[in-house]
Amino acid sequence: MDARYPGGWAGSLVRAVGLLAAVSVFSLASSEATAARVKNAEKGRDVGDGVVLYATPYDPARVDAMMFVSPTAAHPYYEVVVPVGEWAEGKSARVTKVTVNGLSCESYYVFVDGVSHVQSAWITDKSATAHNVVLVARTLWHSGEGIVVEATLSATGDDGKSKTVEKSFEGRAPRRGGGPAGWRRYQSFVLEERAGLARSDEPVEFSVVARAENCGDLEREIRLFRVDAKEGALEPVNFQTFNAREFGGTPPGTADDYYLYNPSRSVDVVFLASVPAKSSGVYVVTYDNPDAEMCAAQATDLTVSGPPLGAVVENRFLRVKLDDKCGQVVSFELKGRSERPAPLLSNSYSLAAHWNPDSFSDNGKWGHTFAWDPPEHTVVTANGPILFRVTNSGRMPEYTPQVWASVTYSFYASTPYVKVKTTTQVRDPLNASAIRNGELVLDSHLVTHFVWKEKAGGVRRVRAVHGPDWQDEWTTTVEHDVPWIAMTNEFDDYGVGAVVQSSLAFNAKSGEATTHRSAYYLYVHHFWAVPLTYFTRAWVYPFSDYQRGPILPVEPGSTYVEDMAFVPFFLHHGRARYGEIERANTVLKQPLVQRWGR
């Protein structure tokens, strides 16, 4: 066994990871030497610090000329690999600074005879010599340009005194595989599809943060590219930025060398990704280009008309109206079926399809967020051709002011659902009969059935009819954490449902928030002036029906959070009858996995 590679499970893992490494290496050496490196790279790399398992697409024990690496799914980095050679200039040697063409390098590490030294980029400890030293600078390089790598090293000489060693290395980058001209820094990531479902125009959000010294205006300079898996070329990707922020740095005088004092700039990014099933895509974010102009996102099928309260938002799948007083969803309009269009999905009682969060106290009266007129706060975080995000928040209106609530809607281009995030926080003592969220209410003539997917995997369906007497208006109750639930019209083949990605109830003081009979409650109100059919997701619910249970005190600090999506959809014939909401459930529960390189 090669002594450089550990045995047992660790060695198996190193070798397995190495087998997955796709190679995108460019060198001044001969093609025969490159082929040898590729073969050796299949073994993987041990890490001397015991921190990370490396799978470099080259053999760091056999680097005889400057090499240039482009991002791949297995190794998503731009790197310049430099053979330093033999080291005989002292103990406690390490690299303290690296520049590439005069530009400071933020990330670099060292191999010594094929073993990685990541922490502090150290070369020697007690020994004064080291064999076959290789310096790796993670830096954006450009095709065909001359490259000068300068390294500053510190060491302890034979006389016991510290000394500084300067080294310089020159090479020329290959004619392809480099980054875009004019941009000097990058960050990279891989999107992995693991659910076996091909993704098309899936919304992906991420943030970029950079030292202020390494960018002028991050939001203006930033660009996004996808790496072509076959050619290695960079393909521009349409993106939208929002939430640009700055950190001014810690005031001067901090004595601790490890204090994170560097001023920084950050920005959030959203784009639409397409990745084949069980595959991956490599993406590169570039910045640090003083001459770059602002890159406005290109038009998509997402349009927003009107003010945030009362806006009409639509894309090729749906059209959604927001109420001009409370900002809640008034109605869903499905697109894409001209021969049998679905009716407007709403109700004619409150004119709000989305009723809550809501709460009911011992005064015998409800507070609903649909009664805001207006909310205390309305904040638009993003308003562009890829994402429109609006948050309404404030005290619960009308009869339960002890409760504070917020509702956030996120609308994306080319996406058949609306993401919804709600929070409900009890800020003052509340004698509760109900705390609920996730309620969609439709006129009863629009609905024939309730349908949901069981956690065990089967799909259940029941008729949306009321109970046997006036005391029991439930159709049934359903577990609060089923994958999805919907109201459908099984004759006209349409529906609207909810997919809950995650939910949490907590109290920052006591650890657990009050909960009671958490479930989905499926209702038909058959004796109101306007018959309504709806489902609602309860956290606290002694109320439950007209045989009302006793009051339950809820302590201040009790907080209830839901991350979900509303999904209007068409029904299809055959085994894939509920395929559209099933697909949305898979996409929302198993989004593309982000794996960041640097």
Side-chain angles (χ1 to χ4, degrees):
M1 177 182 293
D2 191 330
R4 289 178 295 125
Y5 306 118
W9 69 267
S12 300
L13 179 57
V14 171
R15 289 187 288 274
V17 171
L19 288 170
L20 296 175
V23 181
S24 182
V25 180
F26 304 88
S27 174
L28 304 181
S30 66
S31 59
E32 290 81 4
T34 300
R37 293 188 186 97
V38 173
K39 183 176 180 180
N40 290 331
E42 293 179 352
K43 297 178 181 179
R45 303 285 161 250
D46 182 22
V47 174
D49 298 297
V51 177
V52 184
L53 291 173
Y54 271 56
T56 54
Y58 54 87
D59 186 347
R62 295 175 175 83
V63 177
D64 52 15
M66 189 177 290
M67 303 172 67
F68 298 83
V69 179
S70 296
T72 65
H75 194 74
Y77 309 103
Y78 283 102
E79 293 180 333
V80 178
V81 185
V82 180
V84 177
E86 304 302 302
W87 175 265
E89 300 185 61
K91 303 176 182 179
S92 302
R94 67 187 183 94
V95 180
T96 59
K97 182 180 179 181
V98 175
T99 63
V100 180
N101 286 355
L103 190 72
S104 64
C105 180
E106 296 178 74
S107 178
Y108 52 84
Y109 57 100
V110 169
F111 286 104
V112 176
D113 202 20
V115 176
S116 171
H117 291 185
V118 178
Q119 292 182 339
S120 302
W122 64 282
I123 298 174
T124 63
D125 185 13
K126 296 180 180 180
S127 173
T129 62
H131 175 63
N132 193 10
V133 178
V134 172
L135 171 64
V136 181
R138 285 189 173 160
T139 183
L140 191 66
W141 53 269
H142 304 93
S143 301
E145 72 176 346
I147 298 290
V148 177
V149 177
E150 296 175 299
T152 301
L153 305 95
S154 66
T156 301
D158 294 337
D159 57 2
K161 296 182 178 180
S162 298
K163 65 178 181 178
T164 299
V165 179
E166 304 286 348
K167 290 185 177 290
S168 181
F169 310 89
E170 296 186 15
R172 181 164 295 278
R175 290 177 292 179
R176 62 186 181 89
W183 278 265
R184 302 188 296 181
R185 298 186 188 273
Y186 85 99
Q187 296 179 27
S188 59
F189 61 95
V190 178
L191 292 182
E192 297 180 347
E193 202 296 312
R194 298 178 180 176
L197 181 66
R199 310 302 171 95
S200 178
D201 292 334
E202 179 171 325
V204 174
E205 296 185 45
F206 62 89
S207 60
V208 176
V209 61
R211 290 189 177 186
E213 65 194 64
N214 293 335
C215 60
D217 183 336
L218 183 61
E219 189 172 27
R220 172 176 56 81
E221 297 173 3
I222 198 169
R223 298 292 188 272
L224 177 63
F225 300 90
R226 190 181 194 279
V227 179
D228 182 270
K230 294 182 179 179
E231 301 296 329
L234 297 180
E235 303 169 345
V237 175
N238 187 27
F239 67 97
Q240 175 187 332
T241 57
F242 58 104
N243 271 350
R245 297 176 181 174
E246 293 189 11
F247 167 63
T250 301
T254 302
D256 189 346
D257 291 338
Y258 290 95
Y259 206 97
L260 302 178
Y261 59 86
N262 302 88
S264 63
R265 295 186 173 96
S266 62
V267 68
D268 291 339
V269 180
V270 60
F271 73 104
L272 303 176
S274 297
V275 180
K278 295 292 185 179
S279 185
S280 60
V282 183
Y283 293 83
V284 174
V285 178
T286 62
Y287 57 98
D288 191 8
N289 181 352
D291 298 326
E293 296 181 356
M294 189 72 181
C295 183
Q298 301 170 12
T300 66
D301 63 353
L302 180 67
T303 62
V304 181
S305 57
L309 295 181
V312 176
V313 188
E314 59 184 306
N315 61 26
R316 63 189 175 93
F317 290 102
L318 49 80
R319 182 178 187 270
V320 176
K321 175 71 170 67
L322 302 182
D323 187 77
D324 57 4
K325 293 182 179 180
C326 66
Q328 303 271 118
V329 170
V330 170
S331 60
F332 301 95
E333 182 179 339
L334 272 162
K335 296 182 179 182
R337 197 175 71 180
S338 57
E339 70 282 1
R340 280 197 306 139
L344 194 68
L345 301 180
S346 185
N347 71 78
S348 50
Y349 182 81
S350 68
L351 303 180
H354 183 201
W355 270 32
N356 58 10
D358 59 23
S359 45
F360 189 83
S361 73
D362 57 350
N363 62 13
K365 296 181 180 180
W366 285 96
H368 297 87
T369 53
F370 78 69
W372 274 326
D373 187 13
E376 292 181 35
H377 308 282
T378 296
V379 177
V380 176
T381 307
N383 190 359
I386 298 177
L387 168 64
F388 172 64
R389 176 169 292 153
V390 58
T391 299
N392 297 307
S393 63
R395 290 281 182 176
M396 190 70 75
E398 297 183 327
Y399 304 113
T400 53
Q402 304 95 322
V403 177
W404 185 92
S406 71
V407 178
T408 298
Y409 296 123
S410 296
F411 300 87
Y412 299 92
S414 303
T415 302
Y417 51 78
V418 181
K419 291 196 72 174
V420 186
K421 188 167 290 186
T422 68
T423 61
T424 307
Q425 185 181 61
V426 177
R427 292 189 171 180
D428 300 302
L430 176 71
N431 296 319
S433 186
I435 298 176
R436 309 182 306 179
N437 80 295
E439 183 173 356
L440 286 179
V441 182
L442 301 181
D443 284 340
S444 289
H445 72 272
L446 297 172
V447 180
T448 66
H449 289 74
F450 291 106
V451 186
W452 65 94
K453 185 170 186 175
E454 296 279 10
K455 288 186 288 186
V459 173
R460 293 280 306 277
R461 185 175 73 184
V462 297
R463 286 293 305 271
V465 294
H466 59 80
D469 58 58
W470 72 274
Q471 291 181 323
D472 187 358
E473 57 181 334
W474 304 347
T475 296
T476 188
T477 60
V478 176
E479 291 177 282
H480 74 100
D481 54 353
V482 294
W484 58 262
I485 190 167
M487 292 176 287
T488 65
N489 190 307
E490 297 292 326
F491 304 116
D492 293 329
D493 296 333
Y494 62 81
V496 60
V499 174
V500 178
Q501 292 176 265
S502 61
S503 61
L504 177 66
F506 69 94
N507 189 307
K509 292 182 179 179
S510 61
E512 294 292 336
T514 302
T515 60
H516 180 71
R517 295 182 180 176
S518 297
Y520 274 109
Y521 291 79
L522 316 186
Y523 280 104
V524 177
H525 269 302
H526 53 284
F527 49 78
W528 284 7
V530 177
L532 299 177
T533 299
Y534 62 94
F535 57 74
T536 186
R537 187 173 184 267
W539 284 105
V540 178
Y541 211 36
F543 178 100
S544 69
D545 61 26
Y546 282 92
Q547 198 79 23
R548 297 174 185 176
I551 288 293
L552 186 65
V554 178
E555 295 296 322
S558 292
T559 305
Y560 310 87
V561 183
E562 300 83 20
D563 190 2
M564 56 186 158
F566 292 151
V567 187
F569 61 99
F570 288 113
L571 279 60
H572 302 283
H573 297 291
R575 297 180 63 183
R577 183 157 183 76
Y578 307 106
E580 291 187 15
I581 193 169
E582 286 274 28
R583 179 182 177 86
N585 179 64
T586 299
V587 169
L588 290 161
K589 298 285 180 55
Q590 301 182 67
L592 292 168
V593 177
Q594 297 183 30
R595 177 165 57 85
W596 281 81
R598 181 194 172 284

Short mmCIF file of all heavy atoms in Angstrom, two decimals, residues 30-72:
data_model
loop_
_atom_site.label_atom_id
_atom_site.label_comp_id
_atom_site.label_asym_id
_atom_site.label_seq_id
_atom_site.Cartn_x
_atom_site.Cartn_y
_atom_site.Cartn_z
N SER A 30 4.01 18.18 -20.98
CA SER A 30 3.58 17.39 -22.13
C SER A 30 2.28 16.68 -21.85
O SER A 30 1.88 16.51 -20.70
CB SER A 30 4.66 16.35 -22.47
OG SER A 30 4.76 15.41 -21.41
N SER A 31 1.59 16.24 -22.91
CA SER A 31 0.33 15.51 -22.74
C SER A 31 0.56 14.19 -22.04
O SER A 31 -0.30 13.70 -21.31
CB SER A 31 -0.32 15.28 -24.11
OG SER A 31 0.54 14.55 -24.96
N GLU A 32 1.73 13.57 -22.22
CA GLU A 32 2.02 12.31 -21.54
C GLU A 32 2.09 12.52 -20.03
O GLU A 32 1.57 11.73 -19.25
CB GLU A 32 3.34 11.71 -22.04
CG GLU A 32 3.31 11.20 -23.47
CD GLU A 32 3.46 12.31 -24.51
OE1 GLU A 32 3.67 13.48 -24.10
OE2 GLU A 32 3.35 12.02 -25.71
N ALA A 33 2.73 13.62 -19.64
CA ALA A 33 2.83 13.90 -18.20
C ALA A 33 1.45 14.19 -17.61
O ALA A 33 1.14 13.78 -16.50
CB ALA A 33 3.77 15.09 -17.97
N THR A 34 0.62 14.91 -18.39
CA THR A 34 -0.74 15.21 -17.92
C THR A 34 -1.53 13.93 -17.73
O THR A 34 -2.26 13.76 -16.76
CB THR A 34 -1.46 16.13 -18.92
OG1 THR A 34 -0.73 17.34 -19.04
CG2 THR A 34 -2.87 16.45 -18.45
N ALA A 35 -1.41 12.99 -18.67
CA ALA A 35 -2.12 11.71 -18.56
C ALA A 35 -1.69 10.96 -17.31
O ALA A 35 -2.50 10.33 -16.63
CB ALA A 35 -1.85 10.87 -19.81
N ALA A 36 -0.39 11.03 -16.99
CA ALA A 36 0.09 10.38 -15.78
C ALA A 36 -0.51 11.01 -14.54
O ALA A 36 -0.89 10.32 -13.60
CB ALA A 36 1.62 10.45 -15.72
N ARG A 37 -0.64 12.32 -14.55
CA ARG A 37 -1.24 13.01 -13.40
C ARG A 37 -2.69 12.59 -13.22
O ARG A 37 -3.16 12.40 -12.10
CB ARG A 37 -1.15 14.52 -13.59
CG ARG A 37 0.26 15.07 -13.54
CD ARG A 37 0.25 16.59 -13.55
NE ARG A 37 1.60 17.11 -13.63
CZ ARG A 37 2.17 17.49 -14.77
NH1 ARG A 37 1.49 17.45 -15.89
NH2 ARG A 37 3.41 17.94 -14.78
N VAL A 38 -3.41 12.48 -14.35
CA VAL A 38 -4.81 12.08 -14.27
C VAL A 38 -4.93 10.69 -13.65
O VAL A 38 -5.77 10.44 -12.79
CB VAL A 38 -5.45 12.10 -15.67
CG1 VAL A 38 -6.86 11.51 -15.61
CG2 VAL A 38 -5.50 13.52 -16.21
N LYS A 39 -4.08 9.77 -14.06
CA LYS A 39 -4.13 8.42 -13.52
C LYS A 39 -3.84 8.41 -12.03
O LYS A 39 -4.52 7.76 -11.23
CB LYS A 39 -3.13 7.53 -14.26
CG LYS A 39 -3.17 6.07 -13.81
CD LYS A 39 -2.22 5.22 -14.64
CE LYS A 39 -2.27 3.77 -14.19
NZ LYS A 39 -1.34 2.93 -15.00
N ASN A 40 -2.80 9.18 -11.63
CA ASN A 40 -2.46 9.23 -10.22
C ASN A 40 -3.54 9.93 -9.39
O ASN A 40 -3.71 9.64 -8.21
CB ASN A 40 -1.12 9.95 -10.03
CG ASN A 40 0.04 9.13 -10.57
OD1 ASN A 40 -0.02 7.92 -10.58
ND2 ASN A 40 1.09 9.81 -11.02
N ALA A 41 -4.26 10.86 -10.01
CA ALA A 41 -5.28 11.61 -9.27
C ALA A 41 -6.41 10.72 -8.80
O ALA A 41 -7.14 11.06 -7.87
CB ALA A 41 -5.85 12.74 -10.14
N GLU A 42 -6.56 9.55 -9.42
CA GLU A 42 -7.65 8.66 -9.02
C GLU A 42 -7.47 8.10 -7.62
O GLU A 42 -8.40 7.59 -7.02
CB GLU A 42 -7.78 7.52 -10.03
CG GLU A 42 -8.23 7.97 -11.40
CD GLU A 42 -8.33 6.82 -12.39
OE1 GLU A 42 -7.90 5.71 -12.05
OE2 GLU A 42 -8.85 7.05 -13.48
N LYS A 43 -6.28 8.21 -7.08
CA LYS A 43 -6.03 7.70 -5.75
C LYS A 43 -6.58 8.61 -4.65
O LYS A 43 -6.76 8.19 -3.52
CB LYS A 43 -4.53 7.51 -5.53
CG LYS A 43 -3.89 6.50 -6.47
CD LYS A 43 -2.40 6.42 -6.22
CE LYS A 43 -1.73 5.43 -7.15
NZ LYS A 43 -0.27 5.37 -6.92
N GLY A 44 -6.81 9.88 -4.98
CA GLY A 44 -7.23 10.83 -3.96
C GLY A 44 -6.04 11.36 -3.21
O GLY A 44 -4.90 10.97 -3.44
N ARG A 45 -6.30 12.26 -2.28
CA ARG A 45 -5.21 12.90 -1.54
C ARG A 45 -5.49 12.85 -0.05
O ARG A 45 -6.57 13.21 0.40
CB ARG A 45 -5.06 14.37 -1.97
CG ARG A 45 -4.83 14.53 -3.45
CD ARG A 45 -3.41 14.15 -3.84
NE ARG A 45 -3.37 13.88 -5.28
CZ ARG A 45 -3.19 12.69 -5.81
NH1 ARG A 45 -3.05 11.64 -5.04
NH2 ARG A 45 -3.16 12.54 -7.11
N ASP A 46 -4.49 12.47 0.73
CA ASP A 46 -4.59 12.56 2.17
C ASP A 46 -4.31 14.01 2.58
O ASP A 46 -3.62 14.75 1.89
CB ASP A 46 -3.58 11.63 2.83
CG ASP A 46 -3.68 11.64 4.34
OD1 ASP A 46 -4.75 12.01 4.85
OD2 ASP A 46 -2.70 11.28 5.00
N VAL A 47 -4.87 14.42 3.71
CA VAL A 47 -4.64 15.75 4.23
C VAL A 47 -3.84 15.62 5.52
O VAL A 47 -4.31 15.02 6.49
CB VAL A 47 -5.96 16.50 4.48
CG1 VAL A 47 -5.71 17.82 5.16
CG2 VAL A 47 -6.66 16.72 3.16
N GLY A 48 -2.66 16.19 5.53
CA GLY A 48 -1.79 16.04 6.68
C GLY A 48 -2.38 16.59 7.96
O GLY A 48 -2.11 16.10 9.05
N ASP A 49 -3.20 17.64 7.87
CA ASP A 49 -3.79 18.23 9.06
C ASP A 49 -4.97 17.43 9.60
O ASP A 49 -5.49 17.73 10.68
CB ASP A 49 -4.28 19.65 8.76
CG ASP A 49 -3.13 20.56 8.35
OD1 ASP A 49 -2.23 20.79 9.15
OD2 ASP A 49 -3.16 21.01 7.19
N GLY A 50 -5.43 16.44 8.86
CA GLY A 50 -6.56 15.66 9.30
C GLY A 50 -7.86 16.44 9.32
O GLY A 50 -8.73 16.19 10.13
N VAL A 51 -8.00 17.43 8.44
CA VAL A 51 -9.17 18.28 8.42
C VAL A 51 -10.08 17.95 7.26
O VAL A 51 -11.28 17.80 7.41
CB VAL A 51 -8.75 19.77 8.36
CG1 VAL A 51 -9.97 20.66 8.27
CG2 VAL A 51 -7.92 20.14 9.57
N VAL A 52 -9.53 17.81 6.08
CA VAL A 52 -10.32 17.65 4.87
C VAL A 52 -9.73 16.53 4.03
O VAL A 52 -8.52 16.30 4.06
CB VAL A 52 -10.32 18.96 4.03
CG1 VAL A 52 -11.23 18.82 2.83
CG2 VAL A 52 -10.74 20.15 4.87
N LEU A 53 -10.57 15.83 3.29
CA LEU A 53 -10.09 14.87 2.30
C LEU A 53 -10.07 15.55 0.94
O LEU A 53 -11.09 16.03 0.48
CB LEU A 53 -10.99 13.64 2.28
CG LEU A 53 -10.93 12.77 3.53
CD1 LEU A 53 -11.98 11.68 3.45
CD2 LEU A 53 -9.56 12.15 3.70
N TYR A 54 -8.92 15.59 0.32
CA TYR A 54 -8.77 16.26 -0.96
C TYR A 54 -8.88 15.25 -2.09
O TYR A 54 -8.48 14.10 -1.97
CB TYR A 54 -7.39 16.94 -1.04
CG TYR A 54 -7.40 18.36 -0.52
CD1 TYR A 54 -7.83 18.60 0.78
CD2 TYR A 54 -6.98 19.42 -1.29
CE1 TYR A 54 -7.84 19.89 1.28
CE2 TYR A 54 -6.98 20.71 -0.80
CZ TYR A 54 -7.41 20.93 0.49
OH TYR A 54 -7.43 22.20 0.99
N ALA A 55 -9.40 15.71 -3.21
CA ALA A 55 -9.45 14.89 -4.43
C ALA A 55 -9.02 15.78 -5.58
O ALA A 55 -9.80 16.12 -6.45
CB ALA A 55 -10.85 14.33 -4.66
N THR A 56 -7.79 16.23 -5.54
CA THR A 56 -7.30 17.15 -6.56
C THR A 56 -7.22 16.45 -7.91
O THR A 56 -6.88 15.27 -7.99
CB THR A 56 -5.91 17.67 -6.18
OG1 THR A 56 -5.04 16.57 -5.93
CG2 THR A 56 -5.99 18.54 -4.94
N PRO A 57 -7.50 17.18 -8.98
CA PRO A 57 -7.44 16.58 -10.32
C PRO A 57 -6.02 16.56 -10.87
O PRO A 57 -5.81 16.67 -12.07
CB PRO A 57 -8.35 17.51 -11.14
CG PRO A 57 -8.23 18.83 -10.47
CD PRO A 57 -8.06 18.55 -9.01
N TYR A 58 -5.06 16.48 -10.00
CA TYR A 58 -3.66 16.35 -10.37
C TYR A 58 -2.97 15.68 -9.19
O TYR A 58 -3.51 15.61 -8.08
CB TYR A 58 -3.02 17.72 -10.66
CG TYR A 58 -3.18 18.71 -9.54
CD1 TYR A 58 -2.27 18.77 -8.48
CD2 TYR A 58 -4.27 19.57 -9.50
CE1 TYR A 58 -2.45 19.65 -7.42
CE2 TYR A 58 -4.45 20.46 -8.45
CZ TYR A 58 -3.54 20.49 -7.42
OH TYR A 58 -3.71 21.37 -6.38
N ASP A 59 -1.79 15.17 -9.41
CA ASP A 59 -1.03 14.52 -8.34
C ASP A 59 -0.08 15.55 -7.75
O ASP A 59 0.91 15.93 -8.40
CB ASP A 59 -0.25 13.34 -8.90
CG ASP A 59 0.45 12.54 -7.80
OD1 ASP A 59 0.52 13.05 -6.66
OD2 ASP A 59 0.92 11.42 -8.08
N PRO A 60 -0.31 16.05 -6.55
CA PRO A 60 0.55 17.09 -5.99
C PRO A 60 1.96 16.62 -5.68
O PRO A 60 2.83 17.44 -5.41
CB PRO A 60 -0.19 17.51 -4.72
CG PRO A 60 -0.99 16.32 -4.34
CD PRO A 60 -1.40 15.68 -5.62
N ALA A 61 2.19 15.32 -5.72
CA ALA A 61 3.54 14.81 -5.53
C ALA A 61 4.35 14.85 -6.83
O ALA A 61 5.55 14.59 -6.81
CB ALA A 61 3.50 13.38 -5.00
N ARG A 62 3.67 15.18 -7.93
CA ARG A 62 4.34 15.16 -9.24
C ARG A 62 3.96 16.40 -10.05
O ARG A 62 3.38 16.30 -11.13
CB ARG A 62 3.99 13.89 -10.00
CG ARG A 62 4.50 12.61 -9.33
CD ARG A 62 4.02 11.36 -10.05
NE ARG A 62 4.59 10.16 -9.48
CZ ARG A 62 4.12 9.53 -8.40
NH1 ARG A 62 3.06 10.02 -7.77
NH2 ARG A 62 4.70 8.45 -7.93
N VAL A 63 4.23 17.56 -9.51
CA VAL A 63 3.99 18.82 -10.20
C VAL A 63 5.35 19.36 -10.64
O VAL A 63 6.17 19.77 -9.81
CB VAL A 63 3.28 19.84 -9.29
CG1 VAL A 63 3.10 21.16 -10.02
CG2 VAL A 63 1.93 19.28 -8.85
N ASP A 64 5.63 19.32 -11.94
CA ASP A 64 6.93 19.75 -12.42
C ASP A 64 6.88 21.06 -13.19
O ASP A 64 7.90 21.54 -13.69
CB ASP A 64 7.56 18.66 -13.29
CG ASP A 64 6.63 18.20 -14.40
OD1 ASP A 64 5.63 18.90 -14.67
OD2 ASP A 64 6.89 17.13 -14.98
N ALA A 65 5.67 21.63 -13.35
CA ALA A 65 5.53 22.93 -14.01
C ALA A 65 4.27 23.59 -13.49
O ALA A 65 3.38 22.93 -12.95
CB ALA A 65 5.46 22.75 -15.53
N MET A 66 4.18 24.90 -13.65
CA MET A 66 3.00 25.62 -13.21
C MET A 66 1.77 25.06 -13.91
O MET A 66 1.76 24.87 -15.13
CB MET A 66 3.14 27.12 -13.48
CG MET A 66 2.04 27.97 -12.87
SD MET A 66 2.27 29.75 -13.14
CE MET A 66 3.69 30.09 -12.09
N MET A 67 0.72 24.80 -13.14
CA MET A 67 -0.50 24.20 -13.66
C MET A 67 -1.69 25.12 -13.37
O MET A 67 -1.67 25.90 -12.42
CB MET A 67 -0.76 22.82 -13.03
CG MET A 67 0.38 21.84 -13.22
SD MET A 67 0.13 20.33 -12.26
CE MET A 67 -1.29 19.66 -13.08
N PHE A 68 -2.73 24.98 -14.19
CA PHE A 68 -3.91 25.83 -14.08
C PHE A 68 -5.15 24.95 -14.04
O PHE A 68 -5.36 24.12 -14.93
CB PHE A 68 -3.98 26.83 -15.24
CG PHE A 68 -2.81 27.76 -15.28
CD1 PHE A 68 -1.61 27.38 -15.87
CD2 PHE A 68 -2.90 29.00 -14.69
CE1 PHE A 68 -0.51 28.23 -15.88
CE2 PHE A 68 -1.81 29.86 -14.69
CZ PHE A 68 -0.61 29.47 -15.29
N VAL A 69 -5.97 25.13 -13.01
CA VAL A 69 -7.14 24.29 -12.77
C VAL A 69 -8.40 25.13 -12.96
O VAL A 69 -8.49 26.27 -12.50
CB VAL A 69 -7.10 23.70 -11.35
CG1 VAL A 69 -8.34 22.84 -11.08
CG2 VAL A 69 -5.83 22.89 -11.15
N SER A 70 -9.39 24.56 -13.63
CA SER A 70 -10.71 25.17 -13.81
C SER A 70 -11.75 24.41 -12.99
O SER A 70 -11.56 23.22 -12.69
CB SER A 70 -11.11 25.17 -15.28
OG SER A 70 -10.24 25.97 -16.04
N PRO A 71 -12.87 25.04 -12.61
CA PRO A 71 -13.85 24.38 -11.74
C PRO A 71 -14.54 23.20 -12.42
O PRO A 71 -14.91 23.25 -13.60
CB PRO A 71 -14.86 25.50 -11.44
CG PRO A 71 -14.17 26.77 -11.76
CD PRO A 71 -13.22 26.45 -12.88
N THR A 72 -14.71 22.13 -11.65
CA THR A 72 -15.54 20.99 -12.03
C THR A 72 -16.43 20.65 -10.84
O THR A 72 -16.24 21.17 -9.74
CB THR A 72 -14.68 19.76 -12.39
OG1 THR A 72 -13.98 19.34 -11.21
CG2 THR A 72 -13.69 20.07 -13.50
#
